[in-house]
Amino acid sequence: MRFYRSLTIAQKQIVWAWIFLAVPTVFYIWIRFYPTANAFVLSFQHWNLLSDREWAGLDNYVRLWNDPVFWVVFKNTFIYLALGTPISLALSFVVAYHLDKVRFMHGFIRALYFLPFMTSAVAMAWVWRWFYQPVPIGLINNALSSIGIPQIAFLNSTTNALPAVLAPAIWAGLGFQIIIFMAGLRAIPQTYYEAARIDGVSAWTTLTEITLPLLKPTIVFLVVFSSIGFLRIFDQVFNMTTNDPGGPLNSTKPLVLLIYDTAFNGFNMGYAAAQTVVLFVVLLVVSLLQLYIMRDRDRVS
Amino acid sequence: MANVILDNLVKHYGKTPVLHGIDLEVSDGEFVVLVGPSGCGKSTTLRMIAGLEDITSGQVSIGDRVVNNLEPKDRNIAMVFQNYAIYPHMTVRKNIGFGLRTSKKSKAEKLQRINEVAAMLDMTELLDRKPGQLSGGQRQRVAIGRAMVRDPDVFLFDEPLSNLDAQLRTQMRLEIKKLHQRVGRTIIFVTHDQVEAMTMADRIVIMKDGHIQQIGSPFEVFHKPANQFVARFIGAPPMNMLEGRYQQGKLHLQDDIVLDLGGRVFSAAAASKLAEHPQVVIGMRPDDLRVTSEPGHFKGEVALIEPLGSETLVYANVGAKELIAKAPGRVPPTAGDQVSLAIESELIHLFDTRDGVLIE
């Protein structure tokens, strides 16, 4: 106690700060940083969970580079990103833009849009899976055949399966993005629009010159957030293609599913860790790139 | 060139009436200030002139043209908003030029016009800056520049100075007034600040609860307030109000105080009103109520003083009432002093106790 009393106020504050910080610090080091670091180390090792961990040098990375499945999966992951992020952002902006102007049952409609976001991805994936089944089970094909359009193989086709899996993933995230967009739209002062009305500019000019630029922080957030989501897509794919996860013929398989497969079906922990490191680097590079491209040039230091 | 005429303008929000029939004629090139406490409908009136609010009933004409159903852009007006409404992501040049987007001028002409306006507002070197790099007063000038660039018939100002600090406000007040003298366009200016109204306006429109209380020059509204509300709203500190009784050219107040009206002659209507209902409210501006060494009309004890430099406000307890008076700045009384207060009989205002209307 004498030691504590002899401290200055600033030093006492530091002591207390560290006492309170200790719990989350220990938690983070133990639960987050240690496994992450361990995964990095593991990516340079061979391990099947039961054996001892053996150093493998760059073996895992070399194997990954030469693995044709990895490149298919790598491409799939970027297709999820390249289609999912722009489509989901465009859709949610259009919905939010118009929903913002709707007064009639506004809260109810907004709740309907938000509902899918609260629903379990597994349940959703299975319902959509049912939609996609061939006649006489599938909802969509039944509807198509009743008006004389030939059936479409959704989940059984190597070309159609990926978009078919992506659709519910986009739909599920829409509610969240709409809410964020609406909050962004609400934050734009009404006088900007009133001034534009007095100046007599067209609705299109108002949208492109006022609304979208002022919405930029919201857009940046959603682009980064949804990109990370699509790069890590897993549950929709896994649940909609359970017979052959990531199939048919790896045409829907994303990186996370490959990692899961390598680790818990192949028990090839070192190899899975190497794939994880690649995913980590991809996420990091894509996010930083987006933040760099969309950085705020207006702000002066 | 345009006058603005409001004819029995009414506004309801749902079932709530906010304007009860506003009649106002603003002549071409006039500077009119709408002033009143918040919620009096002054901003609503302005926004109806601008076309930003629907008109429940009545008529708005600008330049002898009924504009009720015209879009804001077709009314040839410009508006300056309280929060300036200048776009943070555009340079000053783009902001000012925004109002020219729909104009049919060539690009060179537009740039020329922007430069002209910038020069007029002394902002040429700021044209490439973003609003984030400007001070409050400079932003305000950008907003005015954007309004000027289209050379509209009528300028509408919606409390444009209330976000500025006191010193800047005084300065912008002068600048807007100078601008009006130079450009000579009709200006309708909304404020809640009676000092702004007094200093800038050709004519002041005082509003309360959706009704116009008085329309008149700054001189008229100050020296001949139409009713008690106007009398207390215009002028600071507010007018002293005492209740009394009129009897044969004299006013009888509490504590046997008697004020002589010096043989004031009332109109026939006012005289019969006084005969029928002699109860009156007596209004005396603090500026007119002097602290004097001679035996005055009121005697009281100084509760506190507010030195303003050139003069001193004296808050004196007279009976149960507190009166505000003025004393010279150099030798003011101090708190606790016994003082007597005097007023010239022609400076006393009388109001009816029932409806607050000026009796003259």
Side-chain angles (χ1 to χ4, degrees), chain A residues 36-47 53-62 269-275 277:
Chain A
T36 307
N38 207 348
F40 272 90
V41 173
L42 192 55
S43 73
F44 296 100
Q45 291 174 332
H46 289 307
W47 187 38
R53 288 161 74 154
E54 290 168 21
W55 287 101
L58 287 172
D59 272 9
N60 290 324
Y61 290 98
V62 173
M269 292 300 155
Y271 191 31
Q275 293 164 351
V277 170

Side-chain angles (χ1 to χ4, degrees), chain B residues 152-169:
Chain B
D153 288 334
V154 180
F155 285 95
L156 306 175
F157 287 86
D158 190 6
E159 307 219 18
L161 307 182
S162 47
N163 285 3
L164 302 176
D165 63 54
Q167 203 178 356
L168 210 51
R169 203 180 298 177

Side-chain angles (χ1 to χ4, degrees), chain B residues 112-270:
Chain B
Q112 159 96 30
R113 179 70 189 139
I114 293 169
N115 289 337
E116 264 174 41
V117 168
M120 218 186 282
L121 293 169
D122 211 9
M123 292 195 304
T124 307
E125 66 283 10
L126 304 178
L127 278 174
D128 292 312
R129 297 227 193 137
K130 294 262 174 84
Q133 297 160 281
L134 302 179
S135 69
Q138 288 170 329
R139 278 181 221 181
Q140 184 55 264
R141 262 190 279 163
V142 176
I144 293 171
R146 191 176 63 186
M148 283 170 66
V149 78
R150 278 190 309 149
D151 199 15
D153 288 334
V154 180
F155 285 95
L156 306 175
F157 287 86
D158 190 6
E159 307 219 18
L161 307 182
S162 47
N163 285 3
L164 302 176
D165 63 54
Q167 203 178 356
L168 210 51
R169 203 180 298 177
T170 317
Q171 189 191 330
M172 286 305 295
R173 221 159 66 192
L174 281 172
E175 282 192 35
I176 293 175
K177 204 168 176 178
K178 276 185 200 153
L179 194 79
H180 176 243
Q181 284 171 352
R182 205 151 18 129
V183 185
R185 292 284 185 268
T186 312
I187 292 184
I188 302 177
F189 189 106
V190 161
T191 179
H192 61 263
D193 181 353
Q194 57 95 16
V195 178
E196 268 171 37
M198 290 294 284
T199 50
M200 298 171 85
D202 293 330
R203 274 197 305 158
I204 299 179
V205 179
I206 296 145
M207 296 179 66
K208 184 195 166 203
D209 300 336
H211 292 280
I212 289 182
Q213 302 293 311
Q214 187 174 8
I215 304 175
S217 68
F219 187 88
E220 282 166 352
V221 297
F222 188 82
H223 294 288
K224 271 197 186 307
N227 56 40
Q228 255 189 66
F229 173 78
V230 174
R232 282 191 69 84
F233 190 79
I234 299 289
M239 191 183 269
N240 297 301
M241 296 285 183
L242 293 174
E243 297 222 343
R245 191 179 164 80
Y246 177 83
Q247 206 171 12
Q248 292 164 344
K250 287 194 168 62
L251 297 168
H252 297 267
L253 284 74
Q254 270 186 345
D255 306 327
D256 298 328
I257 299 169
V258 177
L259 291 175
D260 194 338
L261 282 175
R264 187 186 295 195
V265 182
F266 291 98
S267 69

Side-chain angles (χ1 to χ4, degrees), chain A residues 18-32:
Chain A
W18 276 107
I19 289 172
F20 284 115
L21 276 175
V23 177
T25 305
V26 167
F27 177 82
Y28 256 78
I29 289 171
W30 188 251
I31 301 293
R32 295 258 186 210

Side-chain angles (χ1 to χ4, degrees), chain A residues 232-248:
Chain A
R232 295 196 317 187
I233 190 168
F234 174 82
D235 23 16
Q236 267 90 7
V237 189
F238 187 78
N239 284 291
M240 291 179 74
T241 59
T242 36
N243 309 334
D244 169 19

Side-chain angles (χ1 to χ4, degrees), chain B residues 1-148:
Chain B
M1 294 283 118
N3 55 352
V4 177
I5 298 170
L6 310 183
D7 184 14
N8 197 19
L9 202 58
V10 174
K11 175 74 185 176
H12 291 225
Y13 284 115
K15 287 219 158 67
T16 323
V18 288
L19 287 182
H20 309 267
I22 297 293
D23 290 302
L24 178 65
E25 282 193 37
V26 180
S27 42
D28 181 37
E30 198 179 10
F31 195 137
V32 166
V33 174
L34 307 185
V35 67
S38 46
C40 72
K42 56 193 190 297
S43 280
T44 308
T45 309
L46 193 78
R47 292 167 59 83
M48 285 163 89
I49 299 170
L52 296 172
E53 298 277 353
D54 293 335
I55 293 166
T56 308
S57 74
Q59 215 171 56
V60 175
S61 334
I62 298 175
D64 300 326
R65 184 170 60 131
V66 177
V67 296
N68 278 30
N69 296 316
L70 289 185
E71 275 293 302
K73 66 180 161 97
D74 300 320
R75 299 184 179 200
N76 206 13
I77 45 143
M79 188 157 168
V80 178
F81 293 88
Q82 179 172 3
N83 62 359
Y84 321 137
I86 54 175
Y87 305 117
H89 55 284
M90 295 182 195
T91 59
V92 170
R93 190 189 311 277
K94 269 198 91 178
N95 261 301
I96 293 180
F98 204 76
L100 288 177
R101 280 186 150 257
T102 47
S103 119
K104 292 189 176 60
K105 286 184 181 141
S106 74
K107 202 163 181 205
E109 281 176 310
K110 286 182 186 174
L111 282 178
Q112 159 96 30
R113 179 70 189 139
I114 293 169
N115 289 337
E116 264 174 41
V117 168
M120 218 186 282
L121 293 169
D122 211 9
M123 292 195 304
T124 307
E125 66 283 10
L126 304 178
L127 278 174
D128 292 312
R129 297 227 193 137
K130 294 262 174 84
Q133 297 160 281
L134 302 179
S135 69
Q138 288 170 329
R139 278 181 221 181
Q140 184 55 264
R141 262 190 279 163
V142 176
I144 293 171
R146 191 176 63 186
M148 283 170 66

Side-chain angles (χ1 to χ4, degrees), chain A:
Chain A
M1 274 326 278
R2 179 169 295 170
F3 165 74
Y4 181 76
R5 271 194 215 115
S6 68
L7 296 176
T8 65
I9 290 175
Q11 285 167 331
K12 281 177 187 167
Q13 282 173 341
I14 290 170
V15 168
W16 277 105
W18 276 107
I19 289 172
F20 284 115
L21 276 175
V23 177
T25 305
V26 167
F27 177 82
Y28 256 78
I29 289 171
W30 188 251
I31 301 293
R32 295 258 186 210
F33 299 149
Y34 167 69
T36 307
N38 207 348
F40 272 90
V41 173
L42 192 55
S43 73
F44 296 100
Q45 291 174 332
H46 289 307
W47 187 38
N48 68 2
L49 282 178
L50 299 173
S51 65
D52 291 330
R53 288 161 74 154
E54 290 168 21
W55 287 101
L58 287 172
D59 272 9
N60 290 324
Y61 290 98
V62 173
R63 185 176 162 193
L64 197 62
W65 182 265
N66 295 320
D67 187 347
V69 174
F70 168 73
W71 289 108
V72 171
V73 165
F74 196 74
K75 199 184 90 195
N76 288 342
T77 308
F78 274 91
I79 294 175
Y80 281 119
L81 169 73
L83 290 179
T85 300
I87 293 175
S88 69
L89 251 73
L91 278 179
S92 54
F93 177 74
V94 169
V95 172
Y97 184 74
H98 289 101
L99 190 56
D100 189 42
K101 297 182 161 62
V102 171
R103 290 285 154 271
F104 176 72
M105 302 224 292
H106 178 89
F108 180 68
I109 298 173
R110 200 174 50 182
L112 283 187
Y113 275 110
F114 196 66
L115 213 57
F117 187 70
M118 301 190 296
T119 311
S120 131
V122 179
M124 214 151 49
W126 280 84
V127 171
W128 278 75
R129 199 176 163 165
W130 161 57
F131 288 174
Y132 286 142
Q133 292 307 305
V135 176
I137 300 165
L139 184 81
I140 299 173
N141 275 324
N142 277 347
L144 292 178
S145 68
S146 69
I147 54 168
I149 295 175
Q151 297 199 44
I152 299 169
F154 287 105
L155 296 172
N156 298 331
S157 144
T158 49
T159 46
N160 293 345
L162 191 145
V165 170
L166 184 60
I170 291 173
W171 176 69
L174 227 48
F176 176 75
Q177 296 185 345
I178 289 170
I179 298 287
I180 301 293
F181 263 132
M182 290 223 327
L185 285 170
R186 287 280 160 91
I188 298 174
Q190 276 300 313
T191 45
Y192 287 155
Y193 296 117
E194 289 176 348
R197 265 179 81 191
I198 286 176
D199 287 339
V201 295
S202 65
W204 178 251
T205 311
T206 307
L207 177 66
T208 55
E209 299 271 324
I210 300 172
T211 309
L212 287 177
L214 290 171
L215 216 51
K216 196 173 143 187
T218 310
I219 296 172
V220 171
F221 168 74
L222 282 178
V223 164
V224 173
F225 196 82
S226 101
S227 296
I228 292 172
F230 283 113
L231 285 173
R232 295 196 317 187
I233 190 168
F234 174 82
D235 23 16
Q236 267 90 7
V237 189
F238 187 78
N239 284 291
M240 291 179 74
T241 59
T242 36
N243 309 334
D244 169 19
L249 297 174
N250 294 325
S251 63
T252 60
K253 191 177 276 183
L255 207 43
V256 181
L257 188 49
L258 178 71
I259 295 166
Y260 174 81
D261 206 31
T262 311
F264 301 112
N265 293 324
F267 295 107
N268 219 329
M269 292 300 155
Y271 191 31
Q275 293 164 351
T276 309
V277 170
V278 169
L279 175 65
F280 173 79
V281 172
V282 167
L283 284 172
L284 191 69
V285 168
V286 167
S287 302
L288 289 179
L289 210 62
Q290 286 169 339
L291 287 174
Y292 179 76
I293 292 168
M294 297 185 292
R295 73 192 180 280
D296 203 348
R297 292 184 189 82
D298 304 347
R299 202 166 291 156
V300 273
S301 48

